[in-house]
Each structure stands twice: as structure tokens, then as C-alpha cells.
Amino acid sequence: MASRRMAEESIYRIPPYHYIHVLDQNTNVARVEIGPKTYIRQDNERVLFPPEKMIVVPPRHYCIIQNPVVRDDDLKVVFDELGQAKLRHADQEVRLAQDPFPLHPGEEVRQTVSPLQIVLPNTALRLQALLDFESESGEKRVAGDEWIFEGPGTYIPQKEVEVVETIQATVIRHNQAIRLRARKETRDREGTKRFTGEEWLVKKVGAYLPGVYEEVVDIVDAIVLTEKNALHIRASRTFKDDNGIVRKTGEEWLVTMKDTEAHIPNVYEEVVGIIDITTLNSRQYCVILDPVGPNGKPQLGQKKVVKGEKSFFLQPGELLESGIQDVYILSEEEGLVLKANEAFKDVDENGKEVERRPGDRWMIRGPLDYVPPAEVEVLLKRQAIPLDENEGIYVRDIKSGKVRAVIGETYMLTQDEELWEKVLPGNVEALLMAGKDPLADRSDRSRGTEEPKVRDKTRVVSYRVPHNAAVQVYDYREKKSRVVFGPEMVMLGPDEQFTVLSLSGDTPKRSNVIKTICLLLGPDFCTDIINIETADHARLQLKLSYNWHFEVKDQKDEADAAKIFSVPDFVGDACKAIASRIRGAVASVNFDDFHKNSNRIICSAVFGFDDNMKLRSSFRFVQNSLVITSVDIQTVEPVDQRTRDSLQKSVQLAIEITTNSQEAAARHEAERLEQEARGRLERQKISDQAEAERARKELLELEALSTAVESTGAAKAEAQSKAEAARIEGEGAVQQAKLKAEALEIETNAELMRLSKAREHELGFLSAKNKLETEKVKELAEIEVKKFHEMVASIGSTTLRDIAMAGPELQVKLLKGLGLQSTLITDGSTPINLFSTAHGLLGMVPKSIEPKSDDE
């Protein structure tokens, strides 16, 4: 509707700085009409759009026009033969600040009016040429070329140039650097030629603006070095460092505080780590493996000993063998066993020079401090072993293999000796570690639940032989044995072992129950149970106890002493021998005879008779000198059930007969005692009756006296009670009167006190009230006085005087105005002083009396 109405209009008023496009429909050519102007449209013309404002480009602004018109040297628009403005199609034109201009037909605004881009300091624009052109300075640019426009400045756009990006300067602080990479072959700001992909550092403090073909890879912080650390660096490729030293690929070195306080790693330097300083005191040393030589190269396979006091850094490739070690400080009781790994010359304890060959072993003794050279290996540290009289160690010579025991002295092993471990059989080890007393724990068959103690196998095996006991020790090298009687301490040699006894035990006896290395000599006893059979085939079970001991005449006689160990199980053998004798003797007698004479039969069977047919006192085993001194029959029990029942019946019958006889004797004695008790009871009854009659007589007398006293005492008691009641009543009345008087006095005093307190409070209230009123009046007066003073002060004395004299002066002026010299106005009732008035009428003023001075 608007375009149709616009086409129908014929008159167009174009305001200033506006324009319209008019199309000649005959020639189909459009032209521009610029205001201010009133345009009358022809019939063959059409206005394409209503008046539009011209494009205004203010200062420091620009716009881009697409398809601009062609202008001549005078900057005038060039028209073709049809009268249409020529256009540069597909071209652009950047227009800066100028007078307002219209758009010719075909021109378009590619970019609206925009402010020019301001490039700040430390900022740059990276530009790229889109077309080949020649700049105003005469420099030729080829499409694809890049350069930067550095600030501060204002960038004026060009149609041939594109802004790729804005580059910000990187601030390099102290102990910092930036790592740059070349995107293309170029020269840096120092003029050094850089190849594509090359990296370098810029360490200059300040803002750095990268070049057009430079890019910032990273900001590298310096590593601050102190006296206690160093920087371990490896070269990633061959280059020349800041000190001018050529570093080859893979080379490693240290940077310390002596070189620089803060190190910024080069692009071809790789930081392996930070090395802490190694500090040795005066009592420390270390061994460095593969040390770095004077030429700076590691000496592979070599060692170097460094003694304290010293501080140093481990160079790359160096290692500490066993870390920092303490200097060997040896006392008089200590030594070191050393071994030479290489041939070298040494000095012995006497100060003589000795040549050591590889593999040599020697020992040094204290007191001294020792730091082993690199060619020496410390094998062992020896400590003198203090030994008591009953202590020892086994020592083996590593050259000859001979083992010996060292006892009762402080001994230090030499370089060719070592401690030897003596291995004992398992049963001997268990007996020694059990810790049981051979005497006190001889009947204890239980195994201890405690963990067994661990024996030091290098110590000489010792055993305390108790009193009246013996131990046999066999030497396997000398092929002989020895017997040690207690109390004594047995110490085994390297080739000696204890003889272990396996004895019978329990009841009845079983073999291999008791394991011991100590043989008790007695006297002691053992108990056994045997089965026997009489001539009448009665089978009995006997429990017997034998007292025994070993009889050794001369303990120093080795043959006599060895006899006691000749029988391995003397208990089992003795019990079997005695049991066989007893069975043979009992088999020839009947049960009744054995039951009556069991002790005699058994003792005669065991001990036998001498030539005089007397019973012997002991039974001696000649093989091992064992002597049985007595046999005790503890129990006799039949094995057959019938025999046991008949024996039990006979025993019960005997017990019954004995019980009946005892019951009869007891019954007779009880009857006798009962008769005696009955006679004593009758006599006691008679004496008790006589005593009761005497007591009844005394009772009757007392009853008569009580009746008389009761009759006379009743009247007397009544009279006394009445008198007492009257007395109590009188005393009560008196006491009541006293209490009432006291109560009245208390009430009176309380009332008086109340009134006095009330009067006191009332007087105090009145006095306080009067005081307050007085203070109030006083303060009001002071306020009035203060108010008056302030009013007077505010008005002023001159003002008050003027106020006071205002009336009389007014009257004087009024009289002067009337032409009167003086006048007197009175109400007729007030008296007038004519003396002074007359003076006033005459115009005379009385003289003032001057005050007399102090001198007059």
C-alpha cells in the first residue's frame, strides 16, 4: 500500500542530506536525486523508495561499500553513455570520515558505520593480504602475506587486508622467560634467523610482543637454587648453552648456585630433578660409584671414598654405595675383618708397609677410627665375647676346619675363625630346653605348654648335674666316655654328646616312658603291679613299692662309675627280676598261707637267705650296682571273681562278729549307766520337794504382809494424789499468769516500736519533702536570676538605658515641638517639690556634690 501510494504521488519533498532513487521507465536507468529539493515526478518515472538519509561517516569511523561507483581523477562519478553510474562490481571500497554521501543505484552497504579499531600499547594486529597490492609506503604485498600492526595507533582498514587476530604482549617478569616457536622461517627481534619449528627463549624483562611468525608456547619460570640443592639437567639435542659450552645429545650436568642463583632451562634442556646436597660430618664417609673424573666423564666401574667434613653434590651418573656411612669407631674390645678386592699397598698396625693382594683377609683391632679405602671390603665387625668360668663358645678355624671350645675368658675371633653351631639330637635339645629339675620334677610326665626357648647353638652346651646324680658324656672323636657326678657343671666339647636314658615308667611299668640324661643315684622308690597265682590256682594282683639306690664305692674309678650306665633301663630290668622271684615263691603256697604270711613270703623271695638262714637286708644287682633295700606290699586284690567274692564274704563275716561283740558290750555298759542315773534322779526329786515346801511357806508370809500394806496404803495414796493435783493446778495457774503478762509486754513493746518506726519514717519523709521543695524553690530562683541575667546580657546596658530614657526624651521632643520650655503636669493629688521644680523652671541644674578625697 505504501509503495503504491508513493508511486501515485507526483511531488516529493527531499529534505537536506536525504536522497531518492528515480527509475526512468523508458530507458530503465536509475539516477540519484539529492535534497534539499522538491522533485516533481514525470509520468515515465518511478521513485524506488521514499527519501532516505545520506550516510554520515563521523571522524575516526569508517564504512565499507559493496559495488562502489567509478570515479575519475577529480573524484567525480563516471557515467556511461546511457547516463547510468559505472560500478566496480564484486569490489569493495572503504570510506572514511567525509561529507554525507548518498548511495548510487547498485551500491550496497557491506559494513555499517563503525569506529576505527584502536590498537593499544603492547598490542598488535596480525594482518593477512587477500589480494596482491602495493601499500602507501611502496611495499608490495602478495596474497597470503602476513604482517603485524603494532600499537599504539589507529588501524585504518583496507579492502585487500584481513585482520586475522589480535596479539597481546606477554609480560616477562623477573626470573621468567617465554618460550617461542617459529611458524615459518623468519628473523626474530634480535635479527637472528629462525627456521620453521625452531624454539628459543626470550629472557628480557618486560612486555614482549611476538612477531608475525612467532607463537608463544609457554612461560618458563626460573628454578631458584640455594646452597643446599642443584639442578640435574639433560640435553635433548646438541646445542650451545648460555655459557658457550657445547652440550651433546644425552649429556647430563649439574647447575649449582655457583653458576647462577636462578636457572631458566633452555628449550633443549630437560630438567631431570633437583639434587640435594650431600653433607658429611667428621664421623661419616661415603663411597661413590662411577665417579666423574677430572675430564667431566664418569669413570665406570671405579669407586671413590669421600671423608667428612665435606659437602658436595652427586654428579649425574654417580651413586652412593650403601648411602652415607658412619666411620668405624673401634674400642679395645672390637675389631674389623677386612678383605682386599684389588691389589694395593697398606700400612699394618706397626706402621710397616704391607702389600695386599686380591682376596687377602686380615683384621684390625681398636681403639681407632677406620675408613675403609675403595679397594677394601668390610666383611665383619668383631666384638669381644666375655665368658664366665662356666660359659664358652665353639670356634672353628675356616682354614683347617678344626673346632675347639673356648671357655672362661674374654675372646675375640680372628680373621680366620668363625663361631660354630653345635647341633644336638632332638630329644637332647628338648630335654635341655624343657628346664625341668631332675629331682623336683622327676614324677612330672606332662609336656610344658610354653614355647620352647631357643638355644644359642654357638655357646658351649652346659648342664648342671644335681646332687646325688650322674651324667654320662661320650666323646665320638676319642671314642671314650666319662661320668660326671653331681653337684657339677658339665660342658660339652665339640665332639661330645650326652647319653640319653630311656627308663620304664607308670604303674604297671611300661618301657620308654621316661627320657632323661641325668641318672639319680637314690635312695628313691618305684611302684609296680604284678599278677601272681598260688598253688591252689588263686590269681592275685599285687601292688608293690621298692626302695632302691645305686651303690658306687669309688666315684673316681671310671670302670666302677661306668657300671651304673651299663643297663639302659634299670627300672624295667629290676622290676622284671623282682616280679619273677615273687611269682616263683607264691606258686608253691596256698592262698590261705599267702594271705596270712604274704609279707614274709614276698621278702624271702626277693631278698633270700644268707648262709645262716637269716633274711638278707637287700637285693643287689651286680651288673649296674643297683641295690633294692625294701619291698612294701600296698594292695593285694584277687584277679578271679569267685576268689574275690569268697574273700569278701569272709571279711564281711569277721566284721559282723566283731560288730556284734562290740554291740553287746556297749548295751551292758548302757544299762549300768541308766541304773545309776535313775538313783540320782530319785534323790534329786526328794531334795527338790523339801525346797519347794520351804519356798511355799515364805510365799504365804509375804502374801499376808502385802494384804496389810495394801489396805493402809490405798487411803494414803488417795490423799497424796489429791494434794499433788491441787499443787500442780496452782503452779499451772501461776505459770499461765506469767506467760500472759509476758505476752502482753511483748505486744506492747511491738506496738511501741511500730509507732516509733512510723514516726521516724514520717519525719524522714517530711524532712526529705521539705528539702526537695526548698531545693526546688532555690533552683527556680536561680533559674529566674539566670534568665534575667541572660535577658539583660542579651539586651545590653545601652539598650536598657535607651528604653528607660525613651519616654522622657519623647516628652522633651514633644514639648520642643510645641515651643514650650518647660511644663508641669500633675494629677492634682500628688505633691510637688517646688524647690527643685523652681530650679528646673529657671533652667538651673543643681551642682553635684563631689566626693571628698581620702586626703581631706
Side-chain angles (χ1 to χ4, degrees):
M1 292 294 291
S3 60
R4 186 179 301 172
R5 187 172 59 253
M6 180 186 65
E8 294 175 353
E9 293 179 358
S10 299
I11 300 174
Y12 290 89
R13 292 176 177 82
I14 304 174
Y17 300 112
H18 284 68
Y19 70 97
I20 61 174
H21 285 183
V22 179
L23 176 64
D24 189 344
Q25 295 181 354
N26 293 333
T27 61
N28 203 24
V29 174
R31 68 180 185 277
V32 177
E33 296 293 338
I34 300 173
K37 183 178 183 181
T38 299
Y39 173 73
I40 299 174
R41 181 178 62 83
Q42 302 298 323
D43 292 337
N44 62 337
E45 293 178 344
R46 184 167 65 88
V47 177
L48 298 178
F49 50 82
E52 286 190 1
K53 292 183 66 175
M54 294 183 182
I55 298 176
V56 179
V57 181
R60 302 188 66 80
H61 285 68
Y62 75 102
C63 67
I64 299 177
I65 305 299
Q66 183 76 20
N67 303 326
V69 296
V70 180
R71 298 180 185 273
D72 56 11
D73 295 338
D74 297 330
L75 300 180
K76 293 181 180 181
V77 179
V78 177
F79 295 94
D80 58 6
E81 63 275 5
L82 299 176
Q84 186 177 4
K86 288 185 177 182
L87 300 178
R88 292 181 292 171
H89 293 283
D91 198 359
Q92 296 178 357
E93 181 180 351
V94 178
R95 296 182 183 179
L96 303 176
Q98 55 184 295
D99 294 336
F101 62 89
L103 289 178
H104 291 272
E107 289 185 336
E108 298 177 3
V109 178
R110 175 66 181 274
Q111 181 173 342
T112 60
V113 176
S114 304
L116 293 174
Q117 186 172 0
I118 299 174
V119 182
L120 301 176
N122 296 328
T123 308
L125 298 178
R126 187 157 67 91
L127 306 177
Q128 184 178 17
L130 301 176
L131 302 171
D132 296 345
F133 73 99
E134 185 175 350
S135 64
E136 295 178 356
S137 61
E139 186 177 358
K140 292 183 179 181
R141 300 288 185 183
V142 182
D145 282 353
E146 293 183 359
W147 67 99
I148 61 173
F149 178 81
E150 298 183 11
T154 302
Y155 172 68
I156 298 175
Q158 294 176 278
K159 65 178 182 178
E160 300 89 355
V161 179
E162 176 190 9
V163 177
V164 179
E165 64 175 344
T166 302
I167 303 174
Q168 298 289 340
T170 303
V171 179
I172 304 174
R173 297 183 176 85
H174 184 63
N175 288 337
Q176 271 188 348
I178 58 173
R179 187 173 182 174
L180 301 177
R181 182 188 294 123
R183 297 189 297 112
K184 187 178 178 182
E185 291 186 5
T186 182
R187 290 185 179 272
D188 59 12
R189 294 187 179 275
E190 302 294 332
T192 304
K193 189 175 181 180
R194 302 295 181 182
F195 298 98
T196 304
E198 183 180 356
E199 295 183 359
W200 69 97
L201 294 180
V202 176
K203 302 179 182 178
K204 186 177 180 181
V205 177
Y208 182 81
L209 194 62
V212 61
Y213 296 118
E214 297 175 357
E215 62 178 353
V216 178
V217 178
D218 192 11
I219 297 178
V220 182
D221 293 326
I223 300 175
V224 180
L225 302 176
T226 63
E227 296 179 353
K228 296 184 179 180
N229 57 23
L231 200 60
H232 183 186
I233 295 177
R234 181 189 297 122
S236 59
R237 57 166 291 182
T238 303
F239 73 103
K240 184 180 293 186
D241 62 10
D242 296 338
N243 298 325
I245 302 174
V246 177
R247 302 292 184 181
K248 295 184 179 180
T249 304
E251 182 180 353
E252 297 181 0
W253 69 96
L254 289 184
V255 177
T256 62
M257 191 177 178
K258 294 180 180 179
D259 301 325
T260 178
E261 295 182 356
H263 180 72
I264 300 176
N266 197 291
V267 292
Y268 303 118
E269 293 179 354
E270 178 185 351
V271 178
V272 179
I274 295 178
I275 307 298
D276 294 329
I277 194 169
T278 302
T279 303
L280 304 176
N281 59 27
S282 59
R283 285 290 178 264
Q284 290 178 336
Y285 77 99
C286 65
V287 180
I288 300 176
L289 302 178
D290 303 332
V292 174
N295 57 353
K297 304 297 181 182
Q299 300 175 346
L300 301 179
Q302 299 295 323
K303 292 183 179 180
K304 178 183 177 182
V305 178
V306 180
K307 303 178 183 178
E309 300 175 352
K310 191 173 184 180
S311 297
F312 61 95
F313 293 102
L314 287 177
Q315 297 296 325
E318 294 182 343
L319 294 175
L320 289 182
E321 183 183 35
S322 303
I324 297 176
Q325 306 178 50
D326 294 330
V327 174
Y328 291 97
I329 301 176
L330 305 179
S331 64
E332 294 182 356
E333 305 298 328
E334 293 177 332
L336 289 178
V337 178
L338 307 177
K339 177 183 177 182
N341 295 326
E342 300 177 11
F344 73 103
K345 291 184 179 180
D346 192 13
V347 178
D348 60 7
E349 297 178 355
N350 300 323
K352 296 181 180 180
E353 186 174 333
V354 180
E355 184 175 353
R356 304 290 186 186
R357 292 176 298 175
D360 283 354
R361 289 167 60 105
W362 71 98
M363 183 174 177
I364 59 172
R365 300 174 181 266
L368 56 83
D369 326 0
Y370 183 72
V371 177
E375 300 84 4
V376 175
E377 178 185 357
V378 177
L379 298 179
L380 293 171
K381 184 177 181 180
R382 299 291 195 194
Q383 181 80 28
I385 304 173
L387 301 174
D388 192 17
E389 295 179 357
N390 296 325
E391 292 180 335
I393 56 174
Y394 296 111
V395 179
R396 185 170 75 95
D397 192 326
I398 60 177
K399 290 185 176 180
S400 63
K402 185 177 181 181
V403 181
R404 61 189 180 92
V406 179
I407 301 173
E409 61 175 319
T410 301
Y411 186 76
M412 181 186 295
L413 299 176
T414 64
Q415 68 272 10
D416 297 324
E417 293 178 341
E418 66 178 2
L419 291 175
W420 181 74
E421 293 185 355
K422 183 178 179 62
V423 179
L424 297 177
N427 55 354
V428 177
E429 191 83 37
L431 291 173
L432 291 176
M433 293 294 103
K436 292 184 178 181
D437 189 348
L439 287 175
D441 301 329
R442 64 183 184 277
S443 61
D444 186 8
R445 301 289 186 268
S446 62
R447 295 183 179 180
T449 58
E450 299 180 358
E451 295 183 0
K453 300 178 181 178
V454 179
R455 179 179 66 88
D456 187 359
K457 296 182 180 181
T458 61
R459 292 278 178 164
V460 170
V461 179
S462 60
Y463 184 78
R464 297 181 184 274
V465 183
H467 176 69
N468 201 24
V471 172
Q472 186 180 38
V473 178
Y474 186 79
D475 191 338
Y476 285 89
R477 187 177 63 181
E478 300 292 337
K479 299 291 191 292
K480 65 178 182 178
S481 62
R482 58 187 176 96
V483 178
V484 181
F485 292 92
E488 186 61 73
M489 173 70 76
V490 179
M491 304 186 77
L492 296 183
D495 301 309
E496 292 182 336
Q497 294 289 347
F498 288 111
T499 299
V500 180
L501 299 176
S502 181
L503 305 178
S504 298
D506 290 343
T507 304
K509 286 292 180 282
R510 295 185 299 110
S511 59
N512 300 325
V513 174
I514 302 174
K515 302 289 185 180
T516 182
I517 59 177
C518 176
L519 178 63
L520 300 179
L521 300 181
D524 204 343
F525 70 94
C526 64
T527 304
D528 193 13
I529 296 176
I530 62 175
N531 293 327
I532 61 175
E533 186 175 356
T534 60
D536 52 358
H537 303 291
R539 300 182 64 187
L540 303 176
Q541 186 182 68
L542 302 181
K543 185 176 182 181
L544 306 177
S545 178
Y546 315 125
N547 287 341
W548 60 268
H549 68 275
F550 284 98
E551 188 176 274
V552 181
K553 296 180 180 179
D554 187 5
Q555 294 182 355
K556 297 181 179 180
D557 187 358
E558 295 182 0
D560 195 12
K563 288 175 63 177
I564 62 177
F565 288 94
S566 60
V567 179
D569 185 6
F570 73 92
V571 176
D573 290 352
C575 290
K576 289 177 182 178
I578 294 173
S580 65
R581 287 194 173 201
I582 293 174
R583 288 192 191 97
V586 174
S588 60
V589 297
N590 295 325
F591 172 73
D592 291 337
D593 295 339
F594 178 75
H595 185 66
K596 295 177 182 178
N597 304 308
S598 59
N599 187 35
R600 182 177 60 82
I601 294 172
I602 290 175
C603 288
S604 62
V606 173
F607 298 116
F609 297 95
D610 58 5
D611 296 339
N612 299 326
M613 299 303 295
K614 290 184 179 180
L615 187 67
R616 291 192 179 95
S617 59
S618 63
F619 175 38
R620 181 182 179 87
F621 292 88
V622 181
Q623 295 86 354
N624 60 348
S625 301
L626 178 66
V627 178
I628 307 297
T629 56
S630 67
V631 179
D632 181 21
I633 305 172
Q634 294 183 347
T635 59
V636 177
E637 293 183 359
V639 177
D640 187 15
Q641 186 65 32
R642 290 183 304 167
T643 306
R644 185 180 300 175
D645 293 341
S646 61
L647 180 62
Q648 187 175 3
K649 287 180 180 179
S650 63
V651 172
Q652 288 179 353
L653 181 62
I655 292 173
E656 186 177 352
I657 294 171
T658 305
T659 303
N660 291 335
S661 64
Q662 290 178 353
E663 286 181 355
R667 190 183 305 110
H668 184 270
E669 182 68 19
E671 289 177 355
R672 184 181 65 79
L673 293 175
E674 184 180 359
Q675 292 294 333
E676 291 179 357
R678 189 179 291 111
R680 287 196 298 272
L681 180 61
E682 292 296 333
R683 286 196 301 271
Q684 186 66 31
K685 285 182 179 179
I686 294 171
S687 61
D688 290 343
Q689 289 177 358
E691 187 68 24
E693 289 298 329
R694 284 195 298 271
R696 187 178 297 109
K697 177 184 177 181
E698 292 178 356
L699 177 61
L700 292 175
E701 291 176 353
L702 291 174
E703 287 180 353
L705 180 60
S706 174
T707 303
V709 171
E710 183 178 359
S711 61
T712 57
K716 182 177 179 181
E718 184 178 358
Q720 288 179 352
S721 62
K722 289 182 179 180
E724 185 68 20
R727 184 181 63 79
I728 293 172
E729 185 177 357
E731 291 179 354
V734 172
Q735 186 69 21
Q736 184 178 5
K738 288 182 179 180
L739 294 176
K740 286 183 179 180
E742 291 178 357
L744 181 60
E745 182 180 1
I746 291 171
E747 289 179 358
T748 306
N749 291 336
E751 182 66 20
L752 179 60
M753 186 178 296
R754 186 185 66 79
L755 292 174
S756 61
K757 291 292 184 179
R759 295 296 180 270
E760 288 178 2
H761 287 300
E762 185 175 0
L763 291 174
F765 172 71
L766 292 175
S767 62
K769 181 178 180 182
N770 294 335
K771 185 176 180 180
L772 290 175
E773 289 180 354
T774 304
E775 291 178 353
K776 179 180 180 183
V777 172
K778 185 176 179 181
E779 289 179 357
L780 289 175
E782 290 178 354
I783 291 170
E784 289 296 329
V785 172
K786 185 177 181 181
K787 177 180 179 183
F788 179 75
H789 281 298
E790 290 178 353
M791 289 175 61
V792 172
S794 62
I795 295 172
S797 58
T798 306
T799 307
L800 291 175
R801 183 180 61 80
D802 293 340
I803 292 173
M805 295 181 66
E809 289 180 353
L810 180 60
Q811 292 176 4
V812 172
K813 291 180 180 179
L814 181 59
L815 291 177
K816 287 182 179 181
L818 295 176
L820 298 177
Q821 294 295 325
S822 65
T823 182
L824 178 63
I825 300 172
T826 179
D827 56 359
S829 62
T830 302
I832 301 171
N833 187 358
L834 296 178
F835 294 101
S836 59
T837 303
H839 288 286
L841 292 175
L842 297 175
M844 298 174 62
V845 178
K847 295 182 180 179
S848 59
I849 302 173
E850 296 180 358
K852 294 182 180 181
S853 62
D854 295 337
D855 297 336
E856 294 178 354

